[in-house]
Amino acid sequence: NDMLARCDFDPAQHAPREPLKALATGSHRALAQVITLLESRAAGADLRQAIHDAAAKRRAPVLGVTGTGGSGKSSLTDELVRRFRLDQGEKLKIAVLAVDPSRRKTGGALLGDRIRMNAIHGPNVYMRSLATRESGAEIAACLPDVIAACRAAGFDLVIVETSGIGQGDAAIVPLVDVSLYVMTPEFGAASQLEKIDMLDFADFV
């Protein structure tokens, strides 16, 4: 009970007083605090619009990685980050946004995608876990704002990994420049492929 009482505070209160200036510094800590502000829905419409305006000046590509649960989204994302770091000589600033589902019964989320990631520990790599928070989709409601914050913070590439999806989910497509669908080889009968909505939209499978 004492531990729960100590944790019962609003983390959004630690957000920078001037979020846009803080983002412009490229500080990972400042970005984390601004994302918390956006995720808690404490940011006003004016601030959110200002972040989107700043992001529009820095068009970093956004890659959306989606697929069924357990198909290997996190492992593939980690391998992509590793290859980018090796190929570009640590020059690219990469932001990874990993969305995990919130449990309807308890309201909690594991936020365990980073368990599979070993290549994210570098000065130019930033990772943030987000919960869906009953958004009714495989993405968090705040995701468009968080992507904009990463762009405004000067990242060269943003990778978004969704929570596991079913056959009819493609909510990530409008938010990203390129979408990648990860699936297991055991998808069942061939007719099942006709039901997977993402196969109509994905740029890569």
Side-chain angles (χ1 to χ4, degrees):
N1 287 338
D2 177 62
M3 182 178 70
L4 290 173
R6 289 170 184 260
C7 293
D8 190 16
F9 66 92
D10 181 13
Q13 66 185 334
H14 299 295
R17 293 186 177 180
E18 297 182 320
L20 280 180
K21 288 186 178 180
L23 286 175
T25 66
S27 164
H28 287 188
R29 181 180 178 85
L31 174 59
Q33 292 170 333
V34 172
I35 289 177
T36 297
L37 186 69
L38 295 168
E39 191 177 18
S40 64
R41 300 176 184 174
D46 291 342
L47 173 59
R48 290 168 55 210
Q49 185 59 51
I51 291 174
H52 280 271
D53 291 342
K57 300 174 184 176
R58 311 190 68 157
R59 285 291 301 170
V62 181
L63 168 64
V65 180
T66 189
T68 54
S71 59
K73 297 185 298 295
S74 298
S75 298
L76 180 59
T77 299
D78 181 61
E79 183 64 17
L80 287 172
V81 171
R82 188 180 78 86
R83 301 287 183 102
F84 276 124
R85 291 181 66 185
L86 289 173
D87 184 65
Q88 300 296 318
E90 302 285 1
K91 294 179 182 178
L92 279 183
K93 293 183 65 179
I94 304 172
V96 180
L97 306 174
V99 183
D100 247 12
S102 297
R103 302 289 290 270
R104 282 191 294 173
K105 188 171 184 179
T106 64
L110 178 62
L111 303 180
D113 291 315
R114 63 187 63 224
I115 295 172
R116 310 287 178 204
M117 299 190 185
N118 303 296
I120 59 174
H121 306 291
N124 288 333
V125 180
Y126 172 80
M127 181 181 181
R128 174 67 177 238
S129 297
L130 301 170
T132 55
R133 295 179 182 265
E134 300 180 357
S135 64
E138 68 269 19
I139 58 175
C142 65
L143 187 59
D145 297 330
V146 176
I147 292 173
C150 290
R151 280 176 161 161
F155 283 91
D156 302 306
L157 171 67
V158 182
I159 301 176
V160 180
E161 180 195 336
T162 75
S163 60
I165 67 170
Q167 292 175 329
D169 300 312
I172 189 64
V173 174
L175 305 181
V176 300
D177 299 298
V178 177
S179 59
L180 187 156
Y181 179 63
V182 186
M183 61 187 299
T184 63
E186 300 86 13
F187 54 81
S191 59
Q192 295 297 317
L193 296 175
E194 298 296 329
K195 304 177 184 180
I196 300 175
D197 200 29
M198 266 305 296
L199 288 181
D200 292 332
F201 296 100
D203 298 289
F204 301 98
V205 179

